[in-house]
Coordinates of all heavy atoms in Angstrom, one line a residue:
M20 N 29.0 11.2 -3.6 CA 27.9 12.2 -3.6 C 27.1 12.0 -2.3 O 26.9 10.8 -1.9 CB 27.0 12.0 -4.9 CG 26.1 13.3 -4.9 SD 25.3 13.4 -6.4 CE 24.7 11.9 -7.0
K21 N 26.7 13.1 -1.6 CA 25.9 12.8 -0.4 C 24.5 12.4 -0.7 O 23.9 12.8 -1.8 CB 25.8 14.4 0.2 CG 25.4 14.4 1.7 CD 25.7 15.7 2.2 CE 25.4 15.7 3.7 NZ 25.5 17.0 4.3
K22 N 24.0 11.5 0.1 CA 22.7 10.9 -0.2 C 21.6 11.5 0.8 O 21.9 11.5 2.1 CB 22.9 9.4 0.1 CG 21.9 8.5 -0.7 CD 22.2 7.1 -0.6 CE 21.1 6.2 -1.1 NZ 21.1 4.9 -0.7
Y23 N 20.6 12.1 0.3 CA 19.6 12.7 1.1 C 18.4 11.7 1.3 O 18.1 11.1 0.4 CB 19.0 14.1 0.5 CG 20.1 15.0 0.4 CD1 21.0 15.3 -0.7 CD2 20.5 15.9 1.5 CE1 22.0 16.2 -0.7 CE2 21.5 16.8 1.5 CZ 22.2 17.0 0.4 OH 23.2 17.9 0.4
I24 N 17.8 11.9 2.5 CA 16.5 11.1 2.7 C 15.4 11.6 1.9 O 15.2 12.9 1.9 CB 16.2 11.2 4.3 CG1 17.4 10.4 5.1 CG2 14.8 10.5 4.6 CD1 17.2 10.6 6.7
Q25 N 14.7 10.8 1.3 CA 13.6 11.2 0.4 C 12.2 10.9 0.9 O 11.3 11.5 0.4 CB 13.8 10.6 -1.0 CG 15.0 11.0 -1.8 CD 15.2 12.5 -2.0 OE1 14.1 13.2 -2.1 NE2 16.3 13.1 -1.9
T26 N 12.2 10.0 1.8 CA 10.8 9.5 2.4 C 10.9 9.6 3.8 O 11.8 9.2 4.5 CB 10.6 8.0 2.0 OG1 10.7 7.8 0.6 CG2 9.3 7.6 2.5
I27 N 9.8 10.3 4.3 CA 9.6 10.6 5.7 C 8.4 9.9 6.3 O 7.3 10.1 5.7 CB 9.5 12.1 6.2 CG1 10.5 13.0 5.3 CG2 9.6 12.4 7.6 CD1 11.9 12.9 5.6
F28 N 8.5 9.0 7.3 CA 7.3 8.5 7.9 C 6.8 9.5 9.1 O 7.7 9.8 9.9 CB 7.5 7.3 8.5 CG 7.4 6.0 7.5 CD1 8.5 5.8 6.7 CD2 6.3 5.2 7.4 CE1 8.4 4.8 5.6 CE2 6.2 4.3 6.4 CZ 7.2 4.0 5.6
I29 N 5.6 9.9 9.0 CA 5.1 10.8 10.1 C 4.0 10.1 10.9 O 2.9 9.8 10.3 CB 4.5 12.1 9.6 CG1 5.6 12.9 8.8 CG2 3.8 13.0 10.7 CD1 6.6 13.6 9.6
G30 N 4.1 9.9 12.1 CA 3.2 9.2 12.9 C 2.7 10.1 14.1 O 3.4 10.9 14.6
S31 N 1.4 9.9 14.3 CA 0.8 10.7 15.4 C -0.5 10.1 16.0 O -1.1 9.3 15.2 CB 0.4 12.2 14.8 OG -0.3 12.8 15.8
P32 N -0.8 10.3 17.1 CA -2.1 10.0 17.5 C -3.2 11.0 16.9 O -2.7 12.0 16.7 CB -2.2 10.0 19.1 CG -1.1 11.1 19.4 CD -0.1 10.9 18.3
N33 N -4.2 10.5 16.7 CA -5.4 11.5 16.3 C -5.9 12.2 17.5 O -6.4 11.6 18.4 CB -6.5 10.6 15.6 CG -7.8 11.4 15.3 OD1 -7.9 12.5 15.9 ND2 -8.5 10.9 14.3
W34 N -5.6 13.4 17.5 CA -6.1 14.3 18.7 C -7.0 15.3 18.1 O -6.7 16.1 17.2 CB -5.0 15.0 19.3 CG -4.3 14.1 20.4 CD1 -4.4 12.8 20.6 CD2 -3.4 14.6 21.4 NE1 -3.7 12.4 21.7 CE2 -2.9 13.4 22.1 CE3 -2.8 15.8 21.7 CZ2 -2.0 13.5 23.2 CZ3 -1.8 15.9 22.7 CH2 -1.5 14.8 23.5
F35 N -8.3 15.3 18.4 CA -9.3 16.2 18.0 C -9.2 16.3 16.4 O -9.2 17.3 15.8 CB -9.1 17.6 18.5 CG -9.2 17.6 20.1 CD1 -8.0 17.9 20.8 CD2 -10.3 17.1 20.7 CE1 -7.9 17.9 22.2 CE2 -10.2 17.0 22.1 CZ -9.1 17.4 22.9
K36 N -9.3 15.1 15.8 CA -9.4 14.8 14.3 C -8.1 15.3 13.6 O -8.1 15.2 12.3 CB -10.6 15.5 13.7 CG -11.9 15.1 14.2 CD -13.0 15.8 13.6 CE -14.3 15.3 14.2 NZ -15.4 16.2 14.0
T37 N -7.0 15.7 14.3 CA -5.8 16.1 13.6 C -4.7 15.5 14.3 O -4.7 14.7 15.2 CB -5.8 17.5 13.3 OG1 -4.8 17.9 12.4 CG2 -5.6 18.4 14.6
L38 N -3.4 16.0 13.8 CA -2.1 15.7 14.4 C -2.1 16.2 15.7 O -2.6 17.3 16.1 CB -1.0 16.2 13.6 CG -1.0 15.9 12.1 CD1 0.0 16.9 11.4 CD2 -0.3 14.4 12.0
A39 N -1.4 15.5 16.7 CA -1.1 16.0 18.1 C -0.2 17.2 17.8 O 0.7 17.3 16.9 CB -0.3 14.9 18.9
P40 N -0.4 18.3 18.6 CA 0.4 19.6 18.4 C 1.8 19.4 18.4 O 2.5 19.9 17.5 CB 0.0 20.3 19.7 CG -1.4 19.9 20.0 CD -1.4 18.4 19.7
P41 N 2.6 18.4 19.2 CA 4.0 18.4 18.9 C 4.4 17.8 17.5 O 5.5 18.3 17.1 CB 4.4 17.3 20.0 CG 3.4 17.3 21.1 CD 2.1 17.7 20.4
V42 N 3.6 17.0 16.9 CA 3.8 16.6 15.7 C 3.6 17.6 14.6 O 4.5 17.9 13.6 CB 3.0 15.3 15.3 CG1 3.4 14.8 13.9 CG2 3.2 14.3 16.3
M43 N 2.6 18.4 14.8 CA 2.4 19.6 13.8 C 3.6 20.6 14.0 O 4.0 21.1 13.1 CB 1.0 20.4 14.2 CG 0.7 21.4 13.4 SD 0.6 21.1 11.7 CE -1.2 20.6 11.6
S44 N 4.2 20.8 15.2 CA 5.2 21.6 15.4 C 6.5 21.1 14.7 O 7.1 21.8 14.0 CB 5.6 21.8 16.9 OG 4.6 22.4 17.7
F45 N 6.7 19.8 14.8 CA 7.6 19.1 14.1 C 7.6 19.4 12.6 O 8.7 19.8 11.9 CB 7.8 17.7 14.3 CG 8.8 16.9 13.6 CD1 10.0 16.8 14.1 CD2 8.4 16.2 12.5 CE1 11.1 16.0 13.3 CE2 9.3 15.4 11.7 CZ 10.7 15.4 12.2
L46 N 6.4 19.3 12.0 CA 6.3 19.6 10.7 C 6.6 21.0 10.2 O 7.1 21.2 9.2 CB 4.8 19.3 10.2 CG 4.3 17.8 10.0 CD1 2.9 18.0 9.3 CD2 5.2 17.1 9.1
R47 N 6.3 21.8 11.1 CA 6.5 23.3 10.8 C 7.9 23.7 11.0 O 8.3 24.8 10.5 CB 5.5 24.2 11.7 CG 4.0 24.1 11.3 CD 3.0 24.8 12.2 NE 1.7 24.8 11.6 CZ 0.7 25.0 12.2 NH1 0.7 25.4 13.5 NH2 -0.5 24.9 11.7
Q48 N 8.6 22.9 11.7 CA 10.0 23.2 12.0 C 11.0 22.6 10.9 O 12.2 22.9 10.9 CB 10.5 22.8 13.3 CG 10.0 23.7 14.5 CD 10.1 23.1 15.8 OE1 10.8 22.1 15.9 NE2 9.3 23.6 16.7
H49 N 10.5 21.9 10.0 CA 11.3 21.3 9.0 C 10.8 21.4 7.6 O 9.7 21.7 7.4 CB 11.4 19.8 9.2 CG 12.1 19.4 10.6 ND1 11.4 19.4 11.8 CD2 13.4 19.2 10.9 CE1 12.3 19.3 12.8 NE2 13.5 19.0 12.3
N50 N 11.7 21.4 6.8 CA 11.5 21.6 5.3 C 11.3 20.2 4.5 O 12.3 19.6 4.5 CB 12.5 22.5 4.7 CG 12.4 22.8 3.2 OD1 11.5 22.0 2.5 ND2 13.2 23.6 2.7
F51 N 10.1 19.9 4.1 CA 10.0 18.6 3.5 C 9.7 18.8 1.9 O 9.1 17.9 1.3 CB 8.9 17.8 4.1 CG 9.1 17.5 5.5 CD1 8.3 17.8 6.6 CD2 10.3 16.8 5.7 CE1 8.5 17.4 7.9 CE2 10.6 16.3 7.1 CZ 9.8 16.7 8.1
I52 N 10.1 20.0 1.4 CA 9.9 20.2 0.0 C 10.5 19.0 -0.9 O 11.6 18.7 -0.7 CB 10.4 21.6 -0.4 CG1 9.7 22.7 0.1 CG2 10.5 21.7 -2.0 CD1 10.2 24.1 0.1
G53 N 9.7 18.5 -1.8 CA 10.2 17.5 -2.8 C 10.3 16.1 -2.1 O 10.7 15.2 -2.8
K54 N 10.0 16.0 -0.8 CA 10.0 14.7 -0.1 C 8.7 14.0 -0.3 O 7.6 14.6 -0.5 CB 10.3 14.8 1.4 CG 11.5 15.7 1.7 CD 12.8 15.1 1.4 CE 14.0 16.0 1.9 NZ 15.3 15.5 1.2
T55 N 8.6 12.7 0.0 CA 7.5 12.0 0.1 C 7.3 11.7 1.5 O 8.0 11.2 2.3 CB 7.7 10.5 -0.7 OG1 7.9 10.7 -2.0 CG2 6.5 9.5 -0.4
I56 N 6.0 12.0 2.0 CA 5.5 11.8 3.3 C 4.6 10.6 3.4 O 3.6 10.7 2.6 CB 5.0 13.1 3.9 CG1 6.0 14.1 3.9 CG2 4.4 12.9 5.2 CD1 5.5 15.5 4.5
I57 N 4.8 9.6 4.3 CA 3.9 8.6 4.6 C 3.5 8.7 6.0 O 4.3 8.7 6.9 CB 4.8 7.3 4.2 CG1 5.3 7.1 2.8 CG2 3.8 6.0 4.6 CD1 6.1 5.9 2.6
H58 N 2.2 8.8 6.2 CA 1.7 9.1 7.4 C 0.9 8.0 8.0 O 0.2 7.2 7.3 CB 0.8 10.4 7.5 CG -0.3 10.4 6.6 ND1 -0.4 10.4 5.2 CD2 -1.7 10.4 6.9 CE1 -1.5 10.4 4.7 NE2 -2.3 10.5 5.7
F59 N 0.9 8.0 9.3 CA 0.0 6.9 10.1 C -0.3 7.5 11.3 O 0.3 8.4 11.9 CB 0.9 5.6 10.2 CG 2.1 5.7 11.0 CD1 2.1 5.6 12.4 CD2 3.3 6.1 10.4 CE1 3.3 5.6 13.1 CE2 4.4 6.3 11.1 CZ 4.4 6.0 12.5
C60 N -1.5 6.8 11.9 CA -1.8 7.5 13.2 C -2.6 6.3 14.0 O -3.0 5.3 13.5 CB -3.0 8.6 13.1 SG -4.6 8.0 12.8
T61 N -2.6 6.5 15.3 CA -3.3 5.6 16.3 C -4.6 6.5 16.5 O -4.6 7.7 16.4 CB -2.6 5.3 17.4 OG1 -2.2 6.5 18.1 CG2 -1.5 4.4 17.3
H62 N -5.7 5.9 16.9 CA -7.0 6.6 17.1 C -7.8 5.9 18.1 O -7.7 4.7 18.4 CB -7.7 6.8 15.7 CG -8.1 5.5 15.1 ND1 -9.5 5.1 15.2 CD2 -7.5 4.6 14.5 CE1 -9.7 4.0 14.6 NE2 -8.5 3.6 14.1
G63 N -8.9 6.6 18.4 CA -9.9 6.0 19.3 C -11.3 5.8 18.6 O -12.3 5.9 19.3
G64 N -11.2 5.7 17.4 CA -12.5 5.5 16.6 C -12.7 6.4 15.4 O -13.5 6.2 14.5
G65 N -12.0 7.5 15.5 CA -12.2 8.5 14.3 C -11.1 8.3 13.1 O -11.2 9.1 12.2
G66 N -10.5 7.3 13.0 CA -9.5 7.0 11.9 C -8.5 8.2 11.8 O -8.1 8.7 12.8
L67 N -8.2 8.4 10.5 CA -7.2 9.4 10.1 C -7.9 10.8 10.4 O -7.1 11.8 10.5 CB -6.8 9.3 8.7 CG -5.7 8.2 8.4 CD1 -5.5 7.9 6.9 CD2 -4.4 8.5 9.1
G68 N -9.2 11.0 10.4 CA -9.8 12.2 10.5 C -9.3 13.1 9.5 O -9.3 12.8 8.3
E69 N -8.7 14.3 9.9 CA -8.2 15.3 8.9 C -6.7 15.3 8.8 O -6.0 16.1 8.2 CB -8.7 16.7 9.2 CG -10.1 17.0 9.3 CD -10.7 16.7 7.9 OE1 -10.1 17.3 6.9 OE2 -11.7 16.0 7.7
I70 N -6.1 14.2 9.3 CA -4.6 14.3 9.4 C -4.0 14.3 8.1 O -3.1 15.2 7.8 CB -4.2 12.9 10.1 CG1 -4.5 13.2 11.6 CG2 -2.7 12.8 9.9 CD1 -4.1 11.9 12.5
G71 N -4.5 13.5 7.0 CA -3.9 13.6 5.7 C -4.0 15.0 5.0 O -3.1 15.6 4.5
N72 N -5.2 15.6 5.2 CA -5.5 16.9 4.6 C -4.6 17.9 5.3 O -4.1 18.8 4.6 CB -6.9 17.3 4.9 CG -8.0 16.4 4.1 OD1 -7.6 15.9 3.0 ND2 -9.1 16.3 4.6
D73 N -4.6 17.8 6.7 CA -3.7 18.8 7.3 C -2.2 18.8 7.1 O -1.5 19.7 6.9 CB -4.0 18.7 8.9 CG -5.4 19.2 9.1 OD1 -6.0 19.9 8.4 OD2 -5.9 18.8 10.4
I74 N -1.7 17.5 6.8 CA -0.3 17.4 6.4 C -0.1 18.0 5.0 O 0.9 18.7 4.7 CB 0.2 15.9 6.4 CG1 0.2 15.4 7.7 CG2 1.5 15.9 5.7 CD1 0.5 13.8 7.9
A75 N -1.1 17.7 4.2 CA -1.0 18.2 2.8 C -1.1 19.8 2.8 O -0.3 20.3 2.0 CB -2.2 17.8 1.9
K76 N -1.8 20.4 3.7 CA -1.8 21.8 3.8 C -0.4 22.4 4.3 O 0.0 23.4 3.8 CB -2.8 22.3 4.9 CG -4.2 22.4 4.2 CD -5.2 23.0 5.3 CE -6.6 22.4 5.1 NZ -7.3 22.4 6.3
E77 N 0.1 21.7 5.2 CA 1.4 22.2 5.9 C 2.5 21.9 4.9 O 3.5 22.6 5.0 CB 1.8 21.4 7.2 CG 1.0 21.9 8.4 CD 1.1 23.5 8.5 OE1 2.2 24.0 8.5 OE2 0.0 24.1 8.7
C78 N 2.4 20.8 4.1 CA 3.6 20.4 3.3 C 3.0 20.4 1.8 O 3.0 19.3 1.2 CB 4.1 19.0 3.7 SG 4.5 18.9 5.4
S79 N 2.8 21.5 1.3 CA 2.1 21.6 -0.1 C 3.1 21.2 -1.2 O 2.6 21.0 -2.2 CB 1.6 23.0 -0.2 OG 2.6 23.9 -0.2
K80 N 4.3 21.2 -0.9 CA 5.3 20.8 -1.9 C 5.9 19.4 -1.6 O 7.0 19.1 -2.2 CB 6.4 21.8 -2.0 CG 5.8 23.3 -2.4 CD 6.9 24.1 -2.9 CE 6.5 25.3 -3.7 NZ 5.9 26.4 -2.9
S81 N 5.2 18.6 -1.0 CA 5.6 17.2 -0.6 C 4.6 16.3 -1.4 O 3.4 16.7 -1.6 CB 5.6 16.9 0.8 OG 6.5 17.8 1.5
R82 N 5.0 15.1 -1.5 CA 4.1 14.1 -2.1 C 3.6 13.3 -0.9 O 4.4 12.8 -0.1 CB 5.0 13.2 -3.1 CG 4.1 12.0 -3.6 CD 5.1 11.4 -4.7 NE 4.6 10.1 -5.0 CZ 5.1 8.9 -4.9 NH1 6.3 8.9 -4.3 NH2 4.7 7.8 -5.3
I83 N 2.2 13.3 -0.8 CA 1.7 12.6 0.5 C 1.1 11.4 -0.1 O 0.1 11.4 -0.8 CB 0.6 13.5 1.2 CG1 1.0 15.0 1.2 CG2 0.1 13.1 2.4 CD1 2.2 15.4 2.1
L84 N 1.6 10.2 0.5 CA 0.9 9.0 0.1 C -0.2 8.7 1.1 O -0.3 9.2 2.0 CB 2.0 7.9 0.2 CG 3.2 8.0 -0.8 CD1 4.0 6.8 -0.8 CD2 2.7 8.2 -2.2
P85 N -1.1 7.8 0.7 CA -2.2 7.5 1.5 C -1.7 6.9 2.9 O -0.7 6.1 2.9 CB -2.9 6.3 0.8 CG -2.6 6.5 -0.7 CD -1.2 7.1 -0.6
G86 N -2.4 7.3 3.9 CA -1.8 6.9 5.3 C -2.7 5.7 5.7 O -3.5 5.1 5.1
I87 N -2.4 5.3 7.0 CA -3.1 4.2 7.7 C -3.5 4.7 9.0 O -2.7 5.3 9.8 CB -2.4 2.9 7.7 CG1 -3.4 1.8 8.1 CG2 -1.1 3.0 8.5 CD1 -2.7 0.4 7.9
A88 N -4.7 4.3 9.5 CA -5.1 4.6 10.9 C -5.1 3.2 11.6 O -5.7 2.3 11.0 CB -6.4 5.3 10.9
V89 N -4.5 3.2 12.7 CA -4.5 1.8 13.4 C -5.0 2.1 14.9 O -4.8 3.0 15.5 CB -3.1 1.3 13.4 CG1 -2.6 0.8 12.1 CG2 -2.1 2.1 14.1
N90 N -5.7 1.0 15.3 CA -6.1 0.9 16.7 C -5.4 -0.1 17.5 O -4.6 -0.8 16.9 CB -7.7 0.9 16.9 CG -8.2 -0.4 16.3 OD1 -7.6 -1.4 16.3 ND2 -9.3 -0.4 15.6
G91 N -5.9 -0.3 18.7 CA -5.1 -1.2 19.6 C -5.2 -2.7 19.1 O -4.4 -3.5 19.5
T92 N -6.1 -2.9 18.3 CA -6.3 -4.4 17.9 C -5.8 -4.7 16.6 O -5.9 -5.7 16.0 CB -7.8 -4.8 17.9 OG1 -8.4 -4.0 16.9 CG2 -8.4 -4.6 19.3
V93 N -5.0 -3.7 16.0 CA -4.5 -3.9 14.6 C -3.5 -5.1 14.6 O -2.8 -5.4 15.4 CB -3.8 -2.7 14.0 CG1 -2.5 -2.3 14.8 CG2 -3.5 -2.7 12.7
Q94 N -3.6 -5.8 13.5 CA -2.7 -6.9 13.2 C -1.5 -6.4 12.4 O -1.7 -5.5 11.5 CB -3.3 -8.0 12.5 CG -4.7 -8.5 13.2 CD -4.2 -9.3 14.5 OE1 -3.4 -10.0 14.6 NE2 -5.0 -8.9 15.5
S95 N -0.3 -6.9 12.5 CA 0.9 -6.5 11.8 C 0.5 -6.7 10.3 O 1.1 -6.0 9.4 CB 2.1 -7.1 12.2 OG 2.0 -8.6 12.0
K96 N -0.3 -7.8 10.0 CA -0.5 -8.0 8.6 C -1.2 -6.9 7.9 O -1.0 -6.5 6.7 CB -1.4 -9.2 8.5 CG -1.6 -9.8 7.1 CD -2.2 -11.2 7.1 CE -2.4 -11.9 5.7 NZ -2.4 -11.1 4.6
E97 N -2.1 -6.1 8.7 CA -2.8 -5.1 8.1 C -1.8 -3.9 7.8 O -1.9 -3.2 6.7 CB -3.8 -4.5 9.2 CG -4.7 -3.5 8.6 CD -5.7 -3.0 9.7 OE1 -5.9 -3.8 10.7 OE2 -6.3 -1.9 9.6
V98 N -0.7 -3.7 8.6 CA 0.3 -2.7 8.2 C 1.0 -3.1 7.1 O 1.5 -2.3 6.2 CB 1.2 -2.5 9.6 CG1 2.4 -1.6 9.2 CG2 0.4 -2.0 10.7
R99 N 1.4 -4.4 7.1 CA 2.2 -4.8 5.8 C 1.4 -4.7 4.6 O 1.8 -4.3 3.5 CB 2.6 -6.3 6.1 CG 3.3 -7.0 4.9 CD 4.1 -8.2 5.4 NE 5.2 -7.9 6.2 CZ 6.5 -7.5 5.7 NH1 6.7 -7.5 4.3 NH2 7.5 -7.2 6.5
N100 N 0.0 -5.1 4.6 CA -0.8 -4.9 3.4 C -0.8 -3.4 2.9 O -0.8 -3.1 1.7 CB -2.2 -5.3 3.8 CG -2.3 -6.8 3.9 OD1 -1.4 -7.5 3.5 ND2 -3.5 -7.3 4.5
W101 N -0.9 -2.5 4.0 CA -0.9 -1.1 3.6 C 0.5 -0.7 2.9 O 0.4 -0.1 1.8 CB -1.1 -0.2 4.8 CG -0.8 1.3 4.8 CD1 -1.3 2.2 4.0 CD2 0.3 1.9 5.5 NE1 -0.7 3.4 4.2 CE2 0.3 3.2 5.1 CE3 1.2 1.5 6.4 CZ2 1.2 4.3 5.7 CZ3 2.1 2.4 7.0 CH2 2.1 3.8 6.5
L102 N 1.6 -1.1 3.4 CA 2.9 -0.7 2.9 C 3.0 -1.4 1.4 O 3.5 -0.7 0.5 CB 4.0 -1.4 3.7 CG 4.3 -0.6 5.1 CD1 5.2 -1.3 5.9 CD2 4.6 0.9 4.8
E103 N 2.4 -2.5 1.2 CA 2.4 -3.2 -0.1 C 1.5 -2.4 -1.0 O 1.8 -2.1 -2.3 CB 2.0 -4.7 0.0 CG 3.0 -5.5 0.4 CD 2.6 -7.0 0.7 OE1 1.5 -7.3 0.3 OE2 3.4 -7.7 1.3
A104 N 0.4 -1.9 -0.4 CA -0.6 -1.1 -1.4 C 0.0 0.2 -1.8 O -0.3 0.6 -2.9 CB -1.9 -0.9 -0.5
I105 N 0.8 0.9 -1.0 CA 1.4 2.1 -1.5 C 2.7 1.9 -2.2 O 3.6 2.8 -2.4 CB 1.6 3.1 -0.2 CG1 2.5 2.6 0.8 CG2 0.2 3.4 0.4 CD1 2.8 3.7 1.9
E106 N 3.1 0.6 -2.3 CA 4.3 0.1 -3.1 C 5.5 0.7 -2.4 O 6.5 1.1 -3.0 CB 4.2 0.5 -4.5 CG 3.1 -0.1 -5.2 CD 2.9 0.4 -6.6 OE1 3.7 1.2 -7.1 OE2 2.0 -0.2 -7.3
Y107 N 5.6 0.6 -1.0 CA 6.7 1.0 -0.2 C 7.7 -0.2 -0.5 O 7.4 -1.3 -0.1 CB 6.5 1.3 1.2 CG 7.7 1.8 2.0 CD1 8.2 3.0 1.8 CD2 8.4 0.9 2.8 CE1 9.4 3.3 2.4 CE2 9.6 1.2 3.4 CZ 10.1 2.5 3.2 OH 11.1 2.8 3.8
K108 N 9.0 0.2 -0.9 CA 9.9 -0.9 -0.9 C 10.9 -0.8 0.3 O 11.6 0.2 0.5 CB 10.8 -0.6 -2.2 CG 10.0 -0.5 -3.5 CD 10.0 -1.8 -4.2 CE 9.1 -1.7 -5.5 NZ 7.7 -1.8 -5.4
F109 N 11.0 -1.9 0.9 CA 11.9 -1.9 2.1 C 13.5 -1.9 1.5 O 13.7 -2.6 0.6 CB 11.8 -3.2 2.9 CG 10.5 -3.2 3.6 CD1 9.3 -3.8 3.1 CD2 10.3 -2.6 4.9 CE1 8.2 -3.8 4.0 CE2 9.2 -2.6 5.7 CZ 8.0 -3.1 5.1
Q110 N 14.2 -1.1 2.2 CA 15.7 -1.0 1.7 C 16.5 -2.1 2.2 O 16.3 -2.4 3.3 CB 16.2 0.5 2.2 CG 15.4 1.7 1.9 CD 15.5 2.0 0.4 OE1 16.6 2.0 -0.1 NE2 14.4 2.4 -0.3
Ligands
FMN206 C1 -6.5 15.1 23.8 C2 -7.0 13.9 23.0 C3 -7.9 14.1 22.0 C4 -8.3 12.8 21.2 N1 -9.0 13.1 20.1 C5 -9.4 12.0 19.3 C6 -10.2 12.3 18.1 O1 -10.6 13.3 17.7 N2 -10.5 11.1 17.5 C7 -10.1 9.8 17.7 O2 -10.4 8.9 17.1 N3 -9.4 9.7 18.9 C8 -9.0 10.7 19.7 N4 -8.3 10.5 20.7 C9 -7.8 9.2 21.1 C10 -6.4 8.9 20.7 O3 -6.3 9.0 19.4 C11 -6.0 7.5 21.2 O4 -6.1 7.4 22.6 C12 -4.5 7.3 20.9 O5 -4.2 7.4 19.5 C13 -3.9 6.0 21.3 O6 -2.6 5.9 21.1 P1 -1.5 6.1 22.2 O7 -1.8 5.0 23.3 O8 -0.2 5.9 21.5 O9 -1.7 7.4 22.8 C14 -7.8 11.5 21.6 C15 -7.0 11.4 22.7 C16 -6.6 12.6 23.4 C17 -5.8 12.3 24.6

């Protein structure tokens, strides 16, 4: 049986409190119905801004897990803690 991808990681810089336009275009060009979306961003002080809300608007039939905002000083442990918090299982 064909195996379909169920979980999509979406990463973007925070641009004007939301996704960078190329990432938004990518979301609009694909169908993520029924998929789980895990998002993350880099930022310059504004954190995730409206990114989670805007992904939820574009992908209303997807499951959106809590995202993470990282800056240049982030430690890999912080990312690992986030993946554990959302119970992401490494395959
Ligand atoms: C056009 C533009 C808009 C930006 N808007 C925001 C913003 O609203 N909030 C914020 O925290 N950072 C903002 N930034 C800073 C970027 O998020 C930050 O430089 C970027 O995430 C760093 O990652 P990179 O080195 O991969 O680009 C903006 C940067 C650019 C170029």
Side-chain angles (χ1 to χ4, degrees):
M20 189 164 49
K21 205 167 176 180
K22 212 174 165 188
Y23 293 97
I24 292 171
Q25 295 302 328
T26 302
I27 318 288
F28 280 79
I29 297 286
S31 174
N33 174 338
W34 277 11
F35 305 116
K36 300 184 182 156
T37 192
L38 300 161
V42 183
M43 182 59 90
S44 297
F45 175 81
L46 283 187
R47 289 179 174 160
Q48 284 165 20
H49 295 83
N50 176 350
F51 296 123
I52 294 172
K54 309 287 183 196
T55 295
I56 295 179
I57 301 176
H58 60 289
F59 59 95
C60 81
T61 56
H62 68 97
L67 283 166
E69 294 301 314
I70 287 175
N72 293 336
D73 291 343
I74 292 175
K76 276 186 216 153
E77 284 305 316
C78 307
S79 60
K80 296 197 163 81
S81 303
R82 178 170 167 246
I83 318 292
L84 294 191
I87 189 172
V89 295
N90 62 33
T92 60
V93 73
Q94 303 294 314
S95 61
K96 190 168 185 332
E97 193 177 336
V98 174
R99 181 160 285 278
N100 287 346
W101 164 64
L102 290 170
E103 283 173 11
I105 64 172
E106 298 178 358
Y107 182 75
K108 306 265 182 283
F109 290 94
Q110 307 284 320

